[in-house]
Amino acid sequence: MAKRVKIPVNRLQRFSDRYSKRKINIRNKRKYYLIVCEGTKTEPNYFEALKDDLPKGV
């Protein structure tokens, strides 16, 4: 059986404060994507497949 280690209360409070103050989902969503490519044969296939996978209206 594993040995239990007692963690001091001040450490528990310090770690809980750090994570409770952390902001969640503060980044803005991207409104556009820039896709740069050189090919002329395969890239249209990639874009058609991407267009089919995206929801309508995007």
Side-chain angles (χ1 to χ4, degrees), residues 3 6 11 15 18 21 23 25 33 46 50:
K3 185 178 179 183
K6 186 164 179 148
R11 278 203 178 181
F15 289 128
R18 182 186 314 170
K21 292 178 184 176
K23 295 180 181 179
N25 293 333
Y33 296 92
Y46 295 142
L50 182 64

Side-chain angles (χ1 to χ4, degrees), residues 11-35:
R11 278 203 178 181
L12 289 174
Q13 290 172 345
R14 183 177 67 195
F15 289 128
S16 67
D17 288 346
R18 182 186 314 170
Y19 291 111
S20 65
K21 292 178 184 176
R22 186 174 175 187
K23 295 180 181 179
I24 299 173
N25 293 333
I26 59 170
R27 246 187 194 178
N28 294 334
K29 303 277 185 206
R30 289 186 183 169
K31 295 183 180 175
Y32 61 90
Y33 296 92
L34 175 63
I35 302 173

Side-chain angles (χ1 to χ4, degrees), residues 33-47:
Y33 296 92
L34 175 63
I35 302 173
V36 180
C37 56
E38 295 180 18
T40 58
K41 294 182 180 179
T42 57
E43 278 74 4
N45 295 335
Y46 295 142
F47 290 120

